[in-house]
Amino acid sequence: MQIIEEDVNADELCTRREYARWLVRINSLLERNPKLRIVPCKSLSGTVVAAFNDVDVEDPDIESIQALAEAGVIPSQLLGKHYGSDGSKGQGGIYFFPERFISRYDLINWKAQVDYEVKPDIVEQISRTKMSYMDVREINSEASLGLFMDMLAGEKSIARRVFGQSKRFQPNKPSTKAQAAVALTSGRMAKAISNELSRLEAERSSRQAEMAEIRSQLFDSGDIQRWWDKKFSEERARGFEVEKLYIAARCDLEEELIVQEKNYAEDLKEKAAMDCQRQLLLNLKDEVDEMSGRLESERATYVAEKCTLQDTLSDLQTKLEGLLDTKSRSEAEKEALRILRSWVEDEARKSQARAKVLEEVTRRWRWGNHA
């Protein structure tokens, strides 16, 4: 039987929603007086009038809040008064404000209405009794008679158990969840809880007595001994079977160990061979690295020689071009000399022909003179 959830922190402030839920839960479970019992509304049909404008049928605590309103513990629109459940005047309806922290006034007022039955002469008794709180005038004028009845209870009152020997009631101050728990277990519920614990203890004692009687009967009839003998025989047979299985498993493991040792020896040989191959590969790698170094050096030499040859080739190409130019000029001069020689020869032949003509003319002239 759980009234308050397990994950609740006692030092946190208690909301009106939580206190309403816990109050209805503990009352419905432990209250034995039908006149004071509050039964949660298990279903809300469309014909049921909602007690508050801010608590609809989808609210998880609608059953508890509606039950308190229908029982008259909380002022609601079911009573036809346009005041909020916290004493403030509602705007456009009556509101419960479920997420607000519950005040000290509501904490005691709700609980007192559930716990106390109003007596005929209670009003007169209240009027002639001096209250022990200095700030009684700050209490809402709509307070129930149950609240004042609780104050008349003195040291046994719910307020004293919750707030201790305080001189000021401070009705508007919010309450913690620890104070709510103390209030819930005070008053009539303290006796109900005690009775419930006594009943549970009696049931536990009765069950233990029945178990002891059954155990005694079983011992007297020998059923337990026979059952233990049977279980012992079964366990002994099972032990023999387990021992056989153990021996067989041990033999299998020994054979497996021999096989594994052979495999291990072969693995060692393979490992040695692989180590040898690895060493050979390392040696080959060193040789390859050395050859790579030599090739790199030779490549550098080749590149240098290639550059030198290219420079030499460029020089030779330049010289060849110069020789070709010289050859071209020589051939041109040779051709010019050949042409000049041909012209000179032609001129010489012409001169020889003229000389012969002149010689013939001279000879004829001389011949004419002699004649």
Side-chain angles (χ1 to χ4, degrees):
M1 181 179 61
Q2 185 177 11
I3 305 300
I4 300 177
E5 295 78 9
E6 294 181 356
D7 57 347
V8 168
N9 188 350
D11 296 330
E12 293 179 352
L13 295 178
C14 181
T15 62
R16 295 165 61 83
R17 171 196 301 281
E18 291 171 328
Y19 187 65
R21 182 199 314 144
W22 299 338
L23 179 60
V24 173
R25 185 181 297 170
I26 193 172
N27 180 272
S28 61
L29 291 175
L30 299 180
E31 181 59 61
R32 297 293 179 260
N33 188 345
K35 294 182 180 180
L36 300 178
R37 183 182 302 167
I38 300 175
V39 180
C41 301
K42 295 299 181 182
S43 62
L44 294 176
S45 61
T47 59
V48 177
V49 178
F52 303 99
N53 294 88
D54 58 345
V55 181
D56 54 20
V57 294
E58 302 297 331
D59 193 285
D61 296 308
I62 179 63
E63 296 178 359
S64 301
I65 297 172
Q66 187 78 12
L68 290 176
E70 292 182 356
V73 175
I74 307 174
S76 66
Q77 59 188 5
L78 299 179
L79 302 178
K81 296 182 179 181
H82 297 286
Y83 290 91
S85 61
D86 59 348
S88 61
K89 190 173 182 179
Q91 296 179 357
I94 299 180
Y95 300 89
F96 180 70
F97 303 111
E99 303 304 332
R100 284 186 181 179
F101 298 127
I102 190 164
S103 63
R104 287 187 170 191
Y105 165 75
D106 286 331
L107 186 77
I108 304 301
N109 189 39
W110 295 2
K111 177 67 171 147
Q113 292 184 73
V114 174
D115 275 22
Y116 294 103
E117 292 186 77
V118 179
K119 300 177 181 179
D121 59 341
I122 190 62
V123 177
E124 182 181 355
Q125 186 178 355
I126 292 172
S127 62
R128 68 169 181 263
T129 303
K130 182 179 180 180
M131 299 298 173
S132 58
Y133 291 105
M134 300 170 59
D135 54 353
V136 176
R137 296 180 181 275
E138 297 181 12
I139 297 177
N140 194 327
S141 60
E142 298 290 331
S144 65
L145 293 176
L147 175 62
F148 294 102
M149 290 176 64
D150 183 69
M151 291 183 178
L152 292 177
E155 300 299 324
K156 297 181 180 179
S157 66
I158 300 172
R160 286 301 181 194
R161 288 201 59 190
V162 176
F163 306 123
Q165 299 299 324
S166 175
K167 294 297 183 181
R168 298 179 65 244
F169 185 64
Q170 303 179 72
N172 296 322
K173 184 178 180 179
S175 304
T176 64
K177 293 179 180 179
Q179 292 172 337
V182 174
L184 292 172
T185 55
S186 301
R188 293 175 56 84
M189 288 300 104
K191 184 177 180 181
I193 292 172
S194 177
N195 294 336
E196 184 67 17
L197 292 176
S198 299
R199 184 183 66 80
L200 293 175
E201 183 64 24
E203 290 180 356
R204 188 177 68 85
S205 300
S206 176
R207 285 196 299 270
Q208 289 180 349
E210 291 177 0
M211 291 173 62
E213 183 179 356
I214 293 172
R215 189 183 303 111
S216 176
Q217 292 176 358
L218 291 174
F219 272 116
D220 293 341
S221 62
D223 291 341
I224 292 180
Q225 186 63 37
R226 286 192 297 272
W227 183 83
W228 276 113
D229 292 341
K230 180 180 178 182
K231 292 295 291 183
F232 181 74
S233 299
E234 292 176 356
E235 291 299 325
R236 184 168 56 182
R238 186 179 302 170
F240 290 149
E241 186 67 24
V242 170
E243 186 176 1
K244 291 179 182 179
L245 294 174
Y246 166 73
I247 294 173
R250 183 177 177 181
C251 293
D252 293 339
L253 288 174
E254 289 176 352
E255 293 177 359
E256 183 67 21
L257 179 61
I258 294 172
V259 173
Q260 292 296 331
E261 288 178 350
K262 291 181 180 179
N263 293 335
Y264 179 69
E266 293 178 357
D267 290 341
L268 287 178
K269 293 179 181 179
E270 292 181 359
K271 183 177 181 297
M274 292 179 67
D275 290 340
C276 183
Q277 292 179 359
R278 181 173 176 274
Q279 188 62 38
L280 291 175
L281 289 174
L282 290 175
N283 294 335
L284 288 174
K285 182 177 180 297
D286 293 338
E287 292 179 2
V288 170
D289 291 340
E290 184 179 356
M291 292 177 64
S292 298
R294 289 200 301 269
L295 288 174
E296 190 67 25
S297 177
E298 292 177 357
R299 181 176 178 277
T301 304
Y302 165 74
V303 171
E305 291 179 353
K306 183 179 179 182
C307 292
T308 303
L309 288 174
Q310 287 179 349
D311 294 339
T312 304
L313 181 61
S314 298
D315 294 340
L316 292 175
Q317 189 71 25
T318 303
K319 291 179 180 180
L320 178 60
E321 290 176 356
L323 291 174
L324 290 175
D325 291 340
T326 304
K327 182 181 178 182
S328 298
R329 287 196 299 271
S330 298
E331 289 180 352
E333 291 176 356
K334 183 179 178 182
E335 183 66 22
L337 290 174
R338 186 184 62 77
I339 295 171
L340 180 60
R341 181 181 176 183
S342 177
W343 180 76
V344 170
E345 289 178 352
D346 290 340
E347 289 297 325
R349 283 194 296 271
K350 290 178 180 180
S351 296
Q352 288 178 359
R354 284 195 298 270
K356 287 180 180 182
V357 171
L358 288 175
E359 185 179 353
E360 183 64 28
V361 170
T362 301
R363 189 182 61 80
R364 286 182 180 180
W365 179 73
R366 286 177 181 177
W367 174 265
N369 288 332
H370 286 295

